[in-house]
Amino acid sequence: MAARVSTIWFVDNNDVRAELSLYPQPDQAAALAIAQRLHPGKEFESLGPHPLSIAATVQPGYLFIGTYENISVVASAELSACLPSELPESWLLSPHAPLTFLVSSSPDRAQGSFAIWENGQLRRSFSALPIDIVENIGIPQTWELPYWSGKHPLRYPPGILPDPQALPFHPQQFAEAANAEWLGFRYTGAPHEGDLDKTQILLWGFKIHQKSEAPKATVPTTEQPEQAEQAQQAQQAKPKPPAPEPVEIPQSAPTPVPPAKPVAVAPEPDPPITEPKAREPKPPTPVAAEPPQPDFTDAPEVPRAQIPEAPTAEAPTPEPKKRSRLARYFGFH
């Protein structure tokens, strides 16, 4: 039995197989009441219905409960944490129920356990490892005989010798046989003829929280489904908004780039004023004969005009000198 299983069943019907074969739906309100009784002071987040094939492998912090007409089942990791005979009384929800079954299997320890209570009294309890019996209380039942007689021996890999203290069966396989005898189905291996489909047996799931960690699981009343159906019909009656059509977006003109702001530059001192250079005379137009030049022998010699030096920034700018007609003739204006 390689599957992880941790379940306890409360049966008020002698024919468990007949009732489970109808695959009834779990009662959420009754399941929440059992969860609050098992874990007082806690809050529960509803996870909806789950098949027993998944619920039986429950992890710590979760709880799966199925309540039907005459049968209730609880899947919790706490059930495999102790021996069946040491199960707290709070787990015996129906102490006067005709039958209470516990089936537990832990693959990590290769441990299998099962127990049966009749009218609240422990009649048979067994828990073992492959080489050690941890608990063995009560008279073995008839269905156990093939296992004790060695018809289901342990199988070892080639080259591995069996332990001298090994049991003549695997404890998990033994617990699997108890589940099939009492409830009518197996968790592992090929289903036998007449076995129930464990994937069709539904349990209601809850996640366990401390107070104020999560909203409480709400239980729908008889009026809530009708209100929900009316709200759904009203929602469907509302006209749906038309689907948006693609719109052609015109290409916008490029946004003009604003001119850069002028950068303030500190004014530089004015350069010194210099005398403008004389304009170069244009070459004379060639003529056939050069006219006679006037005789300036009698005229006093006029010295060539000299360009004054550029005044410095501190000295005042001298006024330009007046030119004679002769200077203007040579281009010195």
Side-chain angles (χ1 to χ4, degrees):
M1 187 175 185
R4 180 182 300 278
V5 178
S6 189
T7 59
I8 188 169
W9 298 74
F10 307 97
V11 179
D12 285 337
N13 187 351
N14 292 330
D15 196 349
V16 180
R17 187 191 300 266
E19 183 170 344
L20 291 179
S21 63
L22 301 176
Y23 303 116
Q25 295 296 317
D27 188 336
Q28 181 185 1
L32 180 59
I34 293 177
Q36 292 171 343
R37 182 176 173 182
L38 290 173
H39 299 279
K42 300 294 180 66
E43 294 183 352
F44 302 92
E45 178 185 353
S46 177
L47 303 177
H50 288 69
L52 179 60
S53 56
I54 296 177
T57 64
V58 60
Q59 298 295 326
Y62 293 86
L63 197 65
F64 292 89
I65 302 174
T67 55
Y68 318 109
E69 185 177 355
N70 298 305
I71 300 174
S72 298
V73 55
V74 179
S76 172
E78 298 182 25
L79 295 172
S80 60
C82 60
L83 297 176
S85 63
E86 298 176 356
L87 188 69
E89 292 184 1
S90 60
W91 279 97
L92 299 177
L93 302 175
S94 301
H96 301 294
L99 294 172
T100 299
F101 303 128
L102 182 145
V103 179
S104 174
S105 176
S106 303
D108 53 345
R109 303 191 305 268
Q111 183 174 359
S113 306
F114 62 84
I116 179 173
W117 289 262
E118 294 180 2
N119 298 320
Q121 299 295 322
L122 181 63
R123 297 302 183 187
R124 178 75 173 115
S125 175
F126 180 85
S127 181
L129 303 172
I131 59 173
D132 184 23
I133 296 178
V134 182
E135 182 171 88
N136 187 13
I137 300 175
I139 301 174
Q141 297 190 339
T142 306
W143 61 267
E144 300 182 32
L145 181 59
Y147 289 88
W148 290 109
S149 62
K151 293 185 178 180
H152 301 278
L154 286 170
R155 297 179 180 179
Y156 295 88
I160 302 297
L161 296 176
D163 192 290
Q165 298 180 348
L167 297 177
F169 51 81
H170 196 289
Q172 290 184 272
Q173 189 180 11
F174 201 27
E176 176 89 348
N179 193 94
E181 178 69 22
W182 295 336
L183 302 170
F185 64 90
R186 294 170 173 80
Y187 288 99
T188 59
H192 294 194
E193 184 179 357
D195 280 1
L196 300 178
D197 186 357
K198 58 185 174 296
T199 63
Q200 299 299 319
I201 302 174
L202 301 181
L203 283 70
W204 204 276
F206 299 97
K207 186 176 182 181
I208 306 173
H209 293 279
Q210 298 293 337
K211 278 192 174 297
S212 304
E213 282 185 353
K216 294 183 179 180
T218 57
V219 179
T221 62
T222 54
E223 298 179 357
Q224 285 181 348
E226 297 178 359
Q227 295 176 357
E229 185 177 357
Q230 293 176 0
Q232 185 178 4
Q233 292 176 357
Q235 185 70 19
Q236 293 176 354
K238 290 183 180 180
K240 295 184 179 179
E245 298 181 357
V247 179
E248 229 179 273
I249 302 176
Q251 295 183 354
S252 56
T255 306
V257 180
K261 294 182 180 181
V263 181
V265 181
E268 297 181 355
D270 295 333
I273 301 174
T274 57
E275 182 71 20
K277 292 183 179 181
R279 185 180 300 174
E280 294 182 0
K282 295 181 180 181
T285 304
V287 294
E290 185 177 357
Q293 300 290 336
D295 189 5
F296 295 107
T297 55
D298 297 337
E301 184 179 358
V302 180
R304 186 172 181 173
Q306 297 184 4
I307 299 175
E309 295 179 359
T312 61
E314 291 81 13
T317 306
E319 296 182 0
K321 294 181 180 182
K322 294 182 180 180
R323 307 292 183 183
S324 63
R325 288 185 302 171
L326 184 61
R328 288 196 301 271
Y329 178 80
F330 288 98
F332 295 97
H333 298 289

